[in-house]
Amino acid sequence: DTEVTQTPKHLVMGMTNKKSLKCEQHMGHRAMYWYKQKAKKPPELMFVYSYEKLSINESVPSRFSPECPNSSLLNLHLHALQPEDSALYLCASSQGTGRASEQYFGPGTRLTVT
Amino acid sequence: AQKVTQAQTEISVVEKEDVTLDCVYETRDTTYYLFWYKQPPSGELVFLIRRNSFDEQNEISGRYSWNFQKSTSSFNFTITASQVVDSAVYFCALSGSSNTGKLIFGQGTTLQVKP
């Protein structure tokens, strides 16, 4: 089973709202990722968790707050977002963070900030 | 510096035509991995293939084939007898220098297969 699930599929939120994106995998992977993807662009890495610890933060604004409650779950908490944060947010997982590890992606959450 | 270039922004073919998507990469590492992902309109990136820098054998999987040439730093992807379901954005990616999980993505090639 190479499935990564994400909820919700679509999210519309105002700039003062607080919301969370959720990601789950049951492949026993120990690395999980958040990406942001704008239309007609490649995914941009935001965060990497390795063994439930944050290993990479790509200088992401603090209005995005990741959380890894356990090895299967990854959350992204959103607060005081800007309209330019509207994008497709993709979660991915891999066995580890080694160079050979292929990443498996979820279907994404399409976020619109109004 | 590491870089992946997919020079073809958009390609349009008619069903049953063969199509090749180009990928050129730059890296100073001697050990590295290359990947191809497919992103259909639904949004999910689907892993297609991984190739390491020491294996220059071409690979075939059904209608898909990949040609890896270190001499030209290229890892091209060919779809034979294309189908409408092949319509998607295809990304080539290179693993980062360190074991961080970082992938260097190309800009992607949008393939449209018309019936």
Side-chain angles (χ1 to χ4, degrees):
Chain A
D1 182 12
T2 56
E3 189 180 50
V4 176
T5 59
Q6 288 187 245
T7 55
K9 285 188 178 178
H10 300 274
L11 178 62
V12 179
M13 60 186 290
M15 290 189 283
T16 58
N17 290 160
K18 284 185 181 180
K19 296 286 184 182
S20 296
L21 309 184
K22 294 182 186 296
C23 174
E24 190 167 6
Q25 58 89 11
H26 293 289
M27 295 178 276
H29 288 172
R30 303 316 300 260
M32 295 187 78
Y33 310 77
W34 279 115
Y35 287 87
K36 173 183 177 180
Q37 187 180 26
K38 293 286 225 180
K40 298 189 180 295
K41 295 289 186 184
E44 295 175 39
L45 184 65
M46 300 174 72
F47 302 104
V48 180
Y49 272 84
S50 178
Y51 288 85
E52 301 163 46
K53 292 187 178 176
L54 183 65
S55 58
I56 292 180
N57 176 342
E58 291 286 87
S59 303
V60 179
S62 59
R63 57 185 184 268
F64 295 92
S65 175
E67 178 197 18
C68 189
N70 60 56
S71 59
S72 300
L73 291 174
L74 187 65
N75 298 322
L76 186 63
H77 303 298
L78 314 172
H79 174 54
L81 294 193
Q82 304 296 310
E84 58 264 30
D85 296 322
S86 298
L88 179 67
Y89 287 84
L90 293 161
C91 173
S93 71
S94 62
Q95 281 194 330
T97 55
R99 284 180 282 184
S101 293
E102 66 267 23
Q103 295 179 22
Y104 293 91
F105 286 79
T109 293
R110 205 163 289 277
L111 174 68
T112 303
V113 182
T114 60
Chain B
Q2 294 185 300
K3 188 179 178 182
V4 175
T5 301
Q6 294 180 256
Q8 303 149 309
T9 306
E10 293 185 12
I11 301 176
S12 182
V13 299
V14 176
E15 211 170 16
K16 296 184 184 175
E17 283 185 24
D18 297 347
V19 58
T20 295
L21 310 182
D22 297 333
C23 173
V24 174
Y25 62 92
E26 295 175 30
T27 182
R28 292 181 180 176
D29 293 337
T30 53
T31 301
Y32 52 89
Y33 291 80
L34 294 159
F35 304 83
W36 274 96
Y37 284 88
K38 172 184 180 180
Q39 187 173 35
S42 58
E44 177 177 350
L45 270 84
V46 178
F47 166 71
L48 296 178
I49 190 171
R50 176 191 64 204
R51 176 51 51 88
N52 76 56
S53 52
F54 296 106
D55 183 3
E56 287 197 69
Q57 275 195 327
N58 290 335
E59 181 144 350
I60 299 174
S61 176
R63 297 183 296 108
Y64 295 171
S65 62
W66 290 269
N67 179 249
F68 176 38
Q69 291 197 332
K70 283 180 79 170
S71 60
T72 56
S73 297
S74 65
F75 186 41
N76 296 338
F77 173 30
T78 297
I79 302 174
T80 303
S82 60
Q83 299 176 2
V84 172
V85 293
D86 295 326
S87 297
V89 182
Y90 291 86
F91 291 99
C92 180
L94 169 69
S95 57
S97 287
S98 52
N99 291 326
T100 60
K102 279 190 175 185
L103 289 175
I104 314 300
F105 283 94
Q107 290 299 303
T109 297
T110 300
L111 173 64
Q112 184 181 31
V113 181
K114 298 178 182 176

